[in-house]
Amino acid sequence: MVKRTVSVSTERKLIRQLIRYRWKFYIQTTADAVQRHKHLILLVSLLAGPLIFAILLALAKPLLHLIQPENVQQSIQIWGIFLLLHLLWSGFQQKALKGGEGYQYITMTPVPLVIRLQVELRFLASLSALILLPFIIALIYVWTTGSSYQAIYQSILDSLLILLWGIELLFIQMLVCQRNKYLIALCLASFLAPLSLVLFKIEILSILISFIVVVITFRQWMIGKIRKPRIIQLPQLLRIQALSSISSNWIRISLRKIFNKNVIAQRILFLLFAFSACGVLAWFAQQKDTWILIYIELSPHTLMNLMSAFYVAMILVQISIIKISLASTYTSTERFWMSQGISTQQQYMSEFRALCGIAFIATFPTWIWITFTNGMVNSVFIGGFMLFAVALIQYIFKKPETVHGVVPLLLAMTWFVISYLLLAF
């Protein structure tokens, strides 16, 4: 009995040490990332921080609609939002969540699987408390409604379903950190429980399916099949061609620098965000009623202009980040090409054209909606402003180390204000 007590005490101590290590690594890695992008994070926090928190609080109601579904489309949309939220949360922080090489070495030692599982679940659950907030609120709501025997029985079933879905999403986060081979297949399988609930209206069946998916997900995490990295073939457009001019080849080199394999995921996410304007601005364009925010009445057209200005500002912020990374990463490469006879002006012009191309491609959905809602004149103004802003970014961040840290934040706010004024003109 004493031996078993000592063993349990040792296990708890080991779990606490491992969780403490994971938290220490997470805080250090996140602090480094925040230091690199502190102005962008501050800007997003100021503009969208309260809104994001309000959305998370409001997601408890869609979760309750998921338990009492009305149609298949609604269930797919709601579960898709929760799944995407957890995938993005763990995907963006994958490096910080994994624990680094030190923790990977520890997991290769004979640490019991039960301890590893407890460490993963406790660490991710405590870290994901914010995005798990809708589940907590839904659980509270389920147990505060109704007091009859039948209502208590229904509350137990609803609570089991909510808990299983929360655990399932935590396991999916674990698979993201593990880079599991079957992540996409298991994400698709997670839709089975909400769909069975809307199709058959049998909650016990949905609980059973959710339990099976949780077991399969845990099994795949335990096996740990890591997907192999995909080798992306370089498009013909980005290949250096002997028959092409120096100018066109230099634009290709600039694009290859911008979309190198180390940052390709960030660039793809940026383009996805930029093209999300297709759906977001379409929704705002359909609004008819006046919105009241902090006692200020906003017409649908004003909201449309504000969202368009937000997209333009965020795209220009990303162009600034790209320029800073180019200036910081490829200093030695620039010196090499200068020694080969390529002038500094040729390099800067190719970068400018590449940055302009990316900026205009990313702004294209927003530009289309501006043309539809504001007219051609405003869209021309925005186009001219984008050209001027990219040129200014190219000039200001020629040497990022000499630029004061507040400048990116001030520029971002300036882009937003100027864009809105041009649209309101």
Side-chain angles (χ1 to χ4, degrees), residues 1 3-21 111-112 114-116 118-119 122:
M1 184 68 179
K3 187 176 179 181
R4 180 176 177 80
T5 306
V6 172
S7 176
V8 171
S9 176
T10 306
E11 282 186 6
R12 289 176 180 174
K13 189 180 293 184
L14 179 58
I15 289 170
R16 284 197 299 268
Q17 287 176 346
L18 290 175
I19 292 175
R20 197 179 298 118
Y21 176 84
V111 176
V114 177
I115 292 179
R116 283 179 52 203
Q118 288 188 52
V119 171
R122 291 185 188 182

Side-chain angles (χ1 to χ4, degrees), residues 17-56:
Q17 287 176 346
L18 290 175
I19 292 175
R20 197 179 298 118
Y21 176 84
R22 291 287 292 275
W23 266 108
K24 185 177 179 181
F25 181 83
Y26 176 82
I27 291 169
Q28 183 179 354
T29 308
T30 306
D32 292 341
V34 170
Q35 183 64 28
R36 290 195 303 270
H37 306 293
K38 57 184 177 183
H39 301 101
L40 177 61
I41 292 170
L42 179 59
L43 178 66
V44 173
S45 301
L46 289 172
L47 294 177
L51 180 63
I52 291 171
F53 185 72
I55 290 171
L56 286 171

Side-chain angles (χ1 to χ4, degrees), residues 285 301 304 365-376 379:
H301 186 67
M304 185 78 179
T366 307
W367 186 81
I368 290 294
W369 277 108
I370 289 171
T371 305
F372 285 156
T373 56
N374 295 64
M376 185 59 70
S379 61

